[in-house]
Amino acid sequence: MIVHRGAALDYAAKRHADVDNLSPWQWCIRNVVFPEIGYPSSSHGSFDPGRLPFWEEPLNELAKPGYKEIYILKCSQSCASETVGQNAVRWKCATNPEPILWVGAQQDTTEDFWNERLIPGLKVCGRNLANAIRGGHEIGLSFRAPNGASLRATWSKSRGGLKSKSYWLVVADEMDTYEANILEKLRPRLTNYPDGKLLVMSAMDAKKNIPSSESPILSEYKQTDCRERMFVDPGDPSKLFSFSMGLRSEKGETVHGVKWDPGARRKDGTWDLKRVAETAHFVTPSGTIITEEDRLKLLDGGQWVPTKEGRPNAIGFRVPCFLLRQKSFGTTAMNFLRAKHAGEEQLRTFIMEELAEEWHHRRIELGDSDVDARRGDYSGLLSKSQ
């Protein structure tokens, strides 16, 4: 078959236009492929948009006008660094290369991340990015590709790394583990790029001896246009709900959340964790029972809903453990009871790092008895889970 040069140029131009029109999420679906060896990924093969669908909107915010700062208050082990942070780097390097800065907590961990994830992570894409970065030059924690893509990494205490150059994208990974809040040093790095973005991702660090209200990521998130992941209530489609543990204050006004058979409590006051896991379920504010099977189906949908207005240039997303497929109601209920039994420090860690919620000192308890008593019959749930 003979292909005329003009037709070839038209085809190339069309492909370039198609790439430009793809959202970052769509670009990843088309280009990102994780190898079985040579890269430390929990998944292999083509990027699976159904595995963590809640990350689509936070990633796509990078390509939208309006919000300059994106904050993600997340639970631990939520794959934010890979699915949002590194995919943002890949997409930008391939489609519209501009300078990028990645900020880690400590020098040693940042260097390890650079060598094990950031640079190898550029190579898990299709030809589009591979051709663009082939022949790139790497010096220390700095990489420059022939297509103009530029990537640099530094850590939170590096004076030179935080003061030099301007960047289109600055990624602050696990900000709560930094020794100080360095956002005032990072924001000026975007000055030369009116459409540039600051992406901040972090779980709260419960190990720090500070009130959770002083957590840098929580403090910043509270000032944003906040978003919560919500789902249509199967029992009342006119209402939306979000998954939560169902912790309640001393007044006892909150009765929904994760519940289980009260008969799982033994006479000595301890819990039969196997039965807790088997009967764990969720009750929506309108009283609808959501089983683990229901949860997994609901996770395929969902929507980010505004819950509070904040600074006009900043948007925030909160990601609790319930949005992760591997964090079942049963597992979460058992982890809660173990933490509660172990003492206040462990319970604080669970609430902050798993639920991505603020810790209120000695003011919360599990509100299960009211709804459990109302539920009554657990035989259906038990047989379903066995």
Side-chain angles (χ1 to χ4, degrees):
M1 181 179 67
I2 298 175
V3 179
H4 293 288
R5 185 172 184 274
L9 289 175
D10 289 343
Y11 175 73
K14 183 178 184 303
R15 276 189 58 82
H16 184 72
D18 288 343
V19 169
D20 287 344
N21 290 331
L22 293 176
S23 70
W25 191 259
Q26 292 170 331
W27 183 91
C28 291
I29 295 172
R30 182 176 294 188
N31 290 278
V32 176
V33 180
F34 297 106
E36 292 188 11
I37 58 174
Y39 185 73
S41 173
S42 58
S43 61
H44 303 120
S46 298
F47 175 74
D48 181 6
R51 182 167 173 258
L52 300 165
F54 56 88
W55 285 134
E56 180 176 1
E57 188 166 336
L59 179 61
N60 285 344
E61 278 296 332
L62 293 168
K64 297 178 182 179
Y67 296 112
K68 194 173 186 67
E69 300 180 5
I70 304 164
Y71 293 88
I72 298 175
L73 170 62
K74 65 184 186 65
C75 63
S76 59
Q77 300 179 332
S78 62
C79 299
S81 296
E82 176 70 60
T83 312
V84 183
Q86 287 190 258
N87 276 335
V89 171
R90 295 170 183 133
W91 162 76
K92 191 61 181 174
C93 286
T95 61
N96 187 15
E98 300 282 6
I100 300 171
L101 177 65
W102 188 286
V103 183
Q106 306 292 336
Q107 179 177 354
D108 56 347
T109 55
T110 302
E111 290 174 345
D112 289 344
F113 193 81
W114 174 271
N115 293 319
E116 297 171 8
R117 302 293 295 272
L118 275 176
I119 294 302
L122 293 177
K123 302 173 183 178
V124 303
C125 301
R127 291 179 187 171
N128 190 357
L129 181 55
N131 291 336
I133 67 171
R134 183 176 289 119
H137 192 50
E138 181 182 354
I139 301 178
L141 300 184
S142 180
F143 175 82
R144 182 177 294 277
N147 73 336
S150 171
L151 174 63
R152 182 174 181 175
T154 189
W155 54 94
S156 60
K157 291 187 69 177
S158 173
R159 295 182 180 180
L162 297 178
K163 289 183 178 180
S164 61
K165 299 186 62 175
S166 294
Y167 300 91
W168 184 90
L169 172 63
V170 175
V171 181
D173 193 22
E174 296 297 351
M175 184 178 73
D176 258 34
T177 61
Y178 299 174
E179 294 188 15
N181 190 334
I182 62 170
L183 290 179
E184 293 308 316
K185 296 180 180 179
L186 296 181
R187 290 185 176 112
R189 305 278 68 79
L190 301 168
T191 302
N192 292 343
Y193 294 91
D195 61 338
K197 302 288 185 177
L198 172 63
L199 172 62
V200 182
M201 310 173 291
S202 187
M204 287 185 279
D205 186 1
K207 298 177 182 63
K208 285 187 175 180
N209 191 24
I210 60 173
S212 63
S213 59
E214 297 179 16
S215 155
I217 185 62
L218 180 63
S219 299
E220 294 295 332
Y221 171 78
K222 285 182 174 181
Q223 300 177 51
T224 69
D225 278 353
C226 296
R227 300 289 189 273
E228 290 279 342
R229 190 73 169 177
M230 294 194 175
F231 304 87
V232 175
D233 190 328
D236 186 350
S238 66
K239 295 181 180 180
L240 297 174
F241 73 94
S242 62
F243 287 116
S244 66
M245 191 67 196
L247 298 168
R248 64 176 183 175
S249 69
E250 293 170 333
K251 297 179 181 179
E253 66 273 11
T254 302
V255 295
H256 62 278
V258 177
K259 314 296 172 186
W260 53 85
D261 183 0
R265 186 191 290 272
R266 301 186 182 98
K267 292 181 179 180
D268 62 1
T270 62
W271 290 94
D272 179 345
L273 294 182
K274 181 180 179 182
R275 187 169 179 81
V276 168
E278 289 173 339
T279 60
H281 59 286
F282 184 85
V283 180
T284 70
S286 61
T288 303
I289 301 293
I290 306 292
T291 66
E292 178 60 22
E293 182 180 354
D294 297 330
R295 182 186 77 96
L296 294 176
K297 292 178 181 178
L298 287 169
L299 291 182
D300 292 330
Q303 55 188 293
W304 287 106
V305 177
T307 57
K308 184 180 74 68
E309 289 188 1
R311 290 190 285 118
N313 72 332
I315 187 171
F317 301 89
R318 191 180 74 88
V319 178
C321 61
F322 301 107
L323 301 186
L324 304 177
R325 294 186 183 279
Q326 68 270 27
K327 299 286 188 176
S328 68
F329 291 144
T331 298
T332 304
M334 288 192 299
N335 289 344
F336 170 82
L337 291 172
R338 290 186 181 115
K340 190 175 183 183
H341 176 74
E344 186 173 292
E345 183 177 345
Q346 285 76 11
L347 183 58
R348 180 175 182 267
T349 298
F350 172 83
I351 291 170
M352 293 174 64
E353 297 188 7
E354 288 293 304
L355 305 185
E357 293 183 6
E358 186 171 353
W359 164 259
H360 297 281
H361 182 67
R362 296 186 182 279
R363 291 185 58 200
I364 54 177
E365 59 177 304
L366 183 68
D368 60 344
S369 56
D370 304 274
V371 177
D372 282 339
R374 187 174 67 192
R375 170 62 182 158
D377 180 16
Y378 286 82
S379 57
L381 286 173
L382 187 57
S383 61
K384 225 177 178 182
S385 63
Q386 290 176 331

